[in-house]
Amino acid sequence: MIFETHAHYDDEAYDDDRDALLASMQENGIGWIVNVGASLKSTMASIKLAEKYPFVYAAAGVHPSETAELNEDNFAELRAQCLHKKVVAVGEIGLDYYWDEPSQETQRLWFARQLELARAVKKPVIIHSRDAAQDTYEMLKAHRAEEIGGVIHCFSYSAEMAQAYVKMGFYIGVGGVVTFKNGRKLKEVVEAVPIERIVLETDSPYLAPEPNRGRRNSSLHIPYIAQRIAEIKGISYEEVVSETEQNARQMYRIGT
Ligand code: NI
């Protein structure tokens, strides 16, 4: 079954049909979903969803664009949430220099703290990195991220960069962008990275794959992504689904 490694079902885009949508996942071949926190509030909501649905797991973390909300008190709460038995990763965390706020210094401070948190709770990280290729790589190196492990989600950098992360023991998250006509860079990444290092993700409600580009996304659209990866790598759709399922299980340390 398909393993969806990155979605945000706590988003208000699902307020009208969240339960019906999630209830339809398994009958449509979506076996597991990791709902990823991006703030303190969405981390809490992710854990609630994971408590409600056996096939949903959570990631606890604060997105770089939300790091201005962090302080020592709520960081201690975040740490406690990371120890919840259905929290399988610390994320999404990282650097986003596309936006001016919060400052790059603030983003780096809390990225470093959350990397060390992941090390302390012994869980992998989910990395969000946008327009910050060099700093992200250098910080992961400096924090010996090869001992922590995890995924570079919504990978947007070069094939060479992807190979450097694979060498570091990381997985590469591939989503809807691979189906876009202008998604040539990601196509090269998929060609360069062995299937053993690729995981499937949607980042729902964002980044819906073709032919649904621009609409609300959901994990039900993952087959379009898996199909495209199968074409690029010249292997079967079934192979893509089963390989990426194993990869995701290994990464998030979820047994059968
Ligand atoms: Ni996300």
Side-chain angles (χ1 to χ4, degrees), residues 6-8 36-38 63 92 126 128 153-154 201-207:
H6 193 122
H8 302 280
V36 179
H63 184 287
E92 55 190 289
I126 300 169
H128 170 105
H153 133 76
C154 195
E201 63 171 40
T202 60
D203 207 17
S204 291
Y206 310 106
L207 294 173

Side-chain angles (χ1 to χ4, degrees), residues 82-211:
C82 285
L83 297 169
H84 188 287
K85 67 178 190 314
K86 289 205 77 183
V87 170
V88 293
V90 176
E92 55 190 289
I93 63 173
L95 300 172
D96 193 328
Y97 292 171
Y98 179 81
W99 305 105
D100 294 333
E101 297 287 331
S103 72
Q104 296 185 3
E105 194 187 353
T106 300
Q107 293 187 34
R108 284 194 294 267
L109 167 74
W110 292 108
F111 183 28
R113 291 290 300 275
Q114 292 183 93
L115 283 172
E116 289 315 310
L117 174 58
R119 177 188 300 285
V121 300
K122 298 187 171 62
K123 290 183 183 176
V125 286
I126 300 169
I127 303 295
H128 170 105
S129 178
R130 188 179 185 193
D131 294 349
Q134 200 58 30
D135 279 8
T136 305
Y137 185 75
E138 282 171 14
M139 283 189 67
L140 287 172
K141 267 281 179 213
H143 286 268
R144 303 193 316 279
E146 66 276 8
E147 298 167 1
I148 299 169
V151 59
I152 314 294
H153 133 76
C154 195
F155 195 84
S156 61
Y157 299 135
S158 66
E160 290 71 32
M161 203 58 172
Q163 282 166 322
Y165 281 121
V166 165
K167 218 168 145 192
M168 213 189 254
F170 272 73
Y171 292 88
I172 303 297
V174 177
V177 175
V178 78
T179 69
F180 296 174
K181 286 195 177 64
N182 54 356
R184 195 177 59 90
K185 210 163 126 194
L186 186 56
K187 179 177 176 260
E188 288 168 5
V189 167
V190 171
E191 280 167 349
V193 172
I195 189 71
E196 290 78 15
R197 285 284 148 185
I198 291 175
V199 292
L200 302 175
E201 63 171 40
T202 60
D203 207 17
S204 291
Y206 310 106
L207 294 173
E210 294 286 3

Side-chain angles (χ1 to χ4, degrees), residues 1 3 16 26 30 52 60 75-76 79 83 87 105 172 174 194 208 215 247 252-253:
M1 289 226 277
F3 197 126
D16 289 338
Q26 291 199 296
I30 313 298
K52 186 167 181 183
F75 194 73
R79 188 185 199 284
L83 297 169
V87 170
E105 194 187 353
I172 303 297
V174 177
R215 301 198 203 122
N247 300 344
Y252 288 137
R253 298 161 204 160

Side-chain angles (χ1 to χ4, degrees), residues 234-251:
I235 57 178
S236 71
Y237 170 84
E238 290 73 21
E239 217 172 325
V240 171
V241 169
S242 80
E243 286 277 358
T244 53
E245 179 201 321
Q246 287 175 50
N247 300 344
R249 284 177 179 288
Q250 208 153 35
M251 173 172 92

